[in-house]
């Protein structure tokens, strides 16, 4: 699917180290994003082929992720199902930035780690001055975390998801979102429930 010459490329990882370009890794990522769509094989080939045109030696993993997303976006005008691919790819990069690595072939692993990290997300946000201390003081964070349903992220279209992350989510010093969509919605729900008699239950509702 990728030209053999690309196999000599080096990819710059998030920690600054380099590793050889792995075409299979990219292809599997696109395949997961195309799961359940009509004629997924042709869509994977299309996105992978257009992605390879933008690769260069030393490209960062973030740039490569964005290149793959852009390749999917460019094809939405021809087939709306490419929107689903772009959305899923953006969700994947968001999850990895917020909660870290997870087993991409096991949805249960992502769901578990997404819930486990919620309390850390709240604590880190408070320490950074991004979140109200009452979010830790007034709520049962473990109980709330069990309410999070990451499958709801599948309801997003790309424009809605990118707009939420770019405009409304909390950012770090690098202007990267520090929350997933479900963290964002729960944060808002908690903010609206401070003064209720049972804030945890109202936030869940």
């Amino acid at each position: 699917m990728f030209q053999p010459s690309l196999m000599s490329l080096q990819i710059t990882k998030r920690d600054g180290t380099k590793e050889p370009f792995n075409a299979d890794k990219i292809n599997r990522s696109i395949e997961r994003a195309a799961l359940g769509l009509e004629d997924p094989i042709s869509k994977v080939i299309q996105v992978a082929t257009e992605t390879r045109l933008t690769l260069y030696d030393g490209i960062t993993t973030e740039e490569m992720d964005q290149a793959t997303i852009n390749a999917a976006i460019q094809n939405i005008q021809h087939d709306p199902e490419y929107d689903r691919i772009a959305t899923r790819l953006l969700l994947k990069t968001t999850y990895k930035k917020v909660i870290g690595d997870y087993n991409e072939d096991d949805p249960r692993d992502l769901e578990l780690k997404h819930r486990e990290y919620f309390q850390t997300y709240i604590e880190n946000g408070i320490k950074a001055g991004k979140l109200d201390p009452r979010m830790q003081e007034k709520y049962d964070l473990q109980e709330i975390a069990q309410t999070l349903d990451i499958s709801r992220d599948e309801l997003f279209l790309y424009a809605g998801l990118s707009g939420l992350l770019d405009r409304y989510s909390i950012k770090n010093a690098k202007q990267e979102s520090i929350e997933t969509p479900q963290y964002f919605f729960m944060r808002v729900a908690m903010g609206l429930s401070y003064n209720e008699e049972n804030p945890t239950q109202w936030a869940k509702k």
Side-chain angles (χ1 to χ4, degrees), residues 112-163:
L112 178 62
K113 289 181 176 176
H114 184 259
R115 288 177 173 174
E116 287 179 342
Y117 189 78
F118 180 73
Q119 183 166 340
T120 302
Y121 149 73
I122 294 293
E123 292 172 350
N124 289 346
I126 292 172
K127 289 178 183 177
K130 301 283 187 179
L131 296 178
D132 193 308
R134 288 178 293 176
M135 287 190 167
Q136 188 173 19
E137 298 165 356
K138 303 192 68 170
Y139 296 88
D140 184 333
L141 296 181
Q142 292 186 350
E143 182 178 345
I144 284 181
Q146 296 307 308
T147 307
L148 299 173
D149 185 356
I150 205 169
S151 68
R152 292 173 178 165
D153 291 347
E154 285 282 312
L155 298 173
F156 276 104
L157 293 177
Y158 181 81
L161 177 61
S162 61

Side-chain angles (χ1 to χ4, degrees), residues 1-11 20-23 52-53 55-57:
M1 199 173 291
F2 283 81
Q3 297 175 349
S5 60
L6 293 177
M7 300 308 293
S8 62
L9 292 180
Q10 293 289 306
I11 307 300
F21 170 73
N22 187 335
R52 77 183 182 188
L53 299 177
L55 301 183
Y56 64 90
D57 191 37

Side-chain angles (χ1 to χ4, degrees), residues 14-133:
R14 287 182 174 83
D15 61 6
T17 60
K18 295 182 182 296
E19 66 178 11
F21 170 73
N22 187 335
D24 289 338
K25 187 175 181 180
I26 298 299
N27 293 341
R28 287 197 302 271
S29 178
I30 303 171
E31 286 169 3
R32 285 188 288 266
L35 190 67
L37 303 184
E38 184 177 347
D39 194 11
I41 295 178
S42 67
K43 290 181 170 64
V44 172
I45 293 175
Q46 182 71 18
V47 174
T49 300
E50 294 188 12
T51 299
R52 77 183 182 188
L53 299 177
T54 65
L55 301 183
Y56 64 90
D57 191 37
I59 189 173
T60 66
T61 53
E62 290 92 342
E63 290 172 330
M64 192 158 59
D65 287 339
Q66 190 59 53
T68 309
I69 292 171
N70 290 342
I73 292 173
Q74 291 171 6
N75 286 280
I76 294 175
Q77 59 182 325
H78 305 299
D79 185 341
E81 283 201 325
Y82 281 98
D83 191 292
R84 173 57 50 208
I85 295 176
T87 301
R88 288 172 173 171
L89 290 171
L90 179 56
L91 284 170
K92 182 203 74 171
T93 62
T94 301
Y95 297 149
K96 285 185 175 291
K97 286 180 180 178
V98 175
I99 67 174
D101 288 329
Y102 60 90
N103 185 347
E104 295 181 51
D105 293 314
D106 183 1
R108 294 171 299 178
D109 185 55
L110 172 59
E111 182 178 12
L112 178 62
K113 289 181 176 176
H114 184 259
R115 288 177 173 174
E116 287 179 342
Y117 189 78
F118 180 73
Q119 183 166 340
T120 302
Y121 149 73
I122 294 293
E123 292 172 350
N124 289 346
I126 292 172
K127 289 178 183 177
K130 301 283 187 179
L131 296 178
D132 193 308

